[in-house]
Amino acid sequence: MQNALETFLGRNYYSSFIITALKGISQVLFIENAVSGMIILFGIAIYSPELALIAFASSLLGTLIGYYGGADEILVRKGIFGFNSVLTGVAVLVFMQGDLRWLLAITGAVAAAILTAGLIEIGKAFNLPVLTFPFIMITWFLLLSSYRLKAFNLSPDLSPQSLSSWHFEIEGQPEVFEGLFKGISEVFLFDYFWSGVFILAGIFWAGWRYGLFTVLGTGTAWLIAYSLGADIKLVNMGLYSYNAILTVIAVGFTYSPHKRTIPFAGLLAAVITVPVTASIDTWLLPFGLPTLSMPFVLCSWLFISARRMLPDL
């Protein structure tokens, strides 16, 4: 199907950028597949055409930065310079408002691609993947700048809160089925059931292991968060699940020397993302910042590094 898509687009100079931009979208979930990227993009579009447009434009911009910047062509064609740009562009539209947010989203997408290039080089010294760290840094810097720059307007959902006045809620009805799929859509920073369904379909298109690990990740995180007494509203929204999804794919498959059907280390890492998510969310509360995918980055780096001492982990 991917070859058919390339044939349909003609495999010319311009269509190759479209193919790579779609791969950049799928690379958010460690998938190098243009068809999966197209299905995922459709899943985003049924929630918000605006977010789908900025996701594709951001991936395209990241690809162009990598290509014309003279980066390794193999990395560019894999979509490696697109996925951090995708998440940054989407995050700015989700968490900021005002007339300049599109310009900020595009600027953030470009900055994320450049930071990705820099951190890939730095990461070689530590033998660690960049993951979504560039997206996290650029997004946090843009959001924090809104406190000093009047032209930047934060969403009212991100107002700083004092820990002394924080009200913890655990009451509510669990919505397991919806929560599982919303956890998948939260990878792209929004919760919508049908988007989660299509995104999961795009993941399964790339391979059954990716789909299985995604289901295991979102299910495990939902169960652990609920068992530990997390805010049921946040659990149902999938806010404790999306980091686990990314972590189980990264630790259990992408960066694992053992391609097992059941990713034991990946599941353990996914479980750990739940308390890490809770702690980082609490730490950032006074700053009014979202957790984003920092729990995924920290847990994945921990397990990838630990494998050098514990190779059978």
Side-chain angles (χ1 to χ4, degrees):
M1 182 67 177
Q2 179 159 298
N3 290 335
L5 179 62
E6 292 180 3
T7 301
F8 174 74
L9 292 174
R11 293 194 183 188
N12 60 38
Y13 177 78
Y14 297 104
S15 64
S16 65
F17 286 113
I18 296 176
I19 295 290
T20 304
L22 291 173
K23 289 180 181 179
I25 295 171
S26 68
Q27 280 286 6
V28 171
L29 290 143
F30 304 100
I31 295 168
E32 184 195 345
N33 190 296
V35 176
S36 292
M38 187 167 59
I39 298 171
I40 292 170
L41 187 63
F42 179 78
I44 298 172
I46 62 175
Y47 171 74
S48 169
E50 185 180 45
L51 288 185
L53 179 58
I54 193 60
F56 180 78
S58 296
S59 185
L60 186 60
L61 281 170
T63 298
L64 292 172
I65 291 292
Y67 182 81
Y68 287 108
D72 185 333
E73 189 173 344
I74 294 177
L75 292 180
V76 174
R77 291 189 178 278
K78 284 177 177 289
I80 298 301
F81 286 90
F83 71 95
N84 274 295
S85 295
V86 169
L87 291 172
T88 304
V90 169
V92 171
L93 285 199
V94 169
F95 296 121
M96 301 192 80
Q97 54 189 5
D99 297 334
L100 290 179
R101 69 183 189 135
W102 266 90
L103 178 60
L104 291 174
I106 291 172
T107 304
V110 171
I114 296 172
L115 185 56
T116 297
L119 290 180
I120 286 176
E121 192 63 29
I122 294 173
K124 291 177 182 178
F126 302 95
N127 196 23
L128 284 174
V130 170
L131 303 178
T132 57
F133 192 63
F135 144 65
I136 297 166
M137 290 295 97
I138 295 296
T139 301
W140 280 352
F141 284 145
L142 284 174
L143 296 180
L144 284 172
S145 66
S146 65
Y147 293 103
R148 296 287 181 175
L149 303 173
K150 289 183 64 177
F152 293 8
N153 297 309
L154 271 183
S155 165
D157 295 333
L158 291 182
S159 57
Q161 299 182 53
S162 170
L163 291 177
S164 61
S165 60
W166 169 249
H167 179 59
F168 181 57
E169 298 180 3
I170 59 173
E171 296 181 359
Q173 292 298 320
E175 300 172 357
V176 182
F177 194 62
E178 285 203 7
L180 296 181
F181 283 99
K182 286 182 177 180
I184 297 171
S185 69
E186 279 287 0
V187 171
F188 292 91
L189 307 175
F190 63 89
D191 62 293
Y192 184 59
F193 174 84
W194 289 109
S195 292
V197 171
F198 278 97
I199 292 170
L200 182 60
I203 295 169
F204 265 109
W205 183 272
W208 66 269
R209 276 192 174 88
Y210 287 109
L212 174 63
F213 289 5
T214 298
V215 173
L216 287 173
T218 187
T220 299
W222 195 100
L223 181 62
I224 295 298
Y226 180 71
S227 300
L228 292 177
D231 186 326
I232 192 62
K233 180 181 178 181
L234 300 183
V235 175
N236 289 335
M237 290 172 63
L239 290 175
Y240 279 99
S241 299
Y242 70 96
N243 277 291
I245 293 170
L246 295 171
T247 304
V248 74
I249 295 175
V251 175
F253 186 68
T254 305
Y255 298 103
S256 173
H258 308 295
K259 307 301 181 184
R260 296 167 175 157
T261 302
I262 303 298
F264 298 104
L267 285 174
L268 178 58
V271 168
I272 294 175
T273 63
V274 174
V276 172
T277 297
S279 61
I280 292 179
D281 193 39
T282 304
W283 172 52
L284 295 176
L285 204 62
F287 302 100
L289 290 176
T291 303
L292 303 179
S293 54
M294 183 56 89
F296 147 64
V297 170
L298 293 179
C299 291
S300 296
W301 279 349
L302 171 64
F303 273 76
I304 292 170
S305 299
R307 279 196 173 122
R308 295 169 196 163
M309 293 292 291
L310 305 168
D312 293 328
L313 179 64

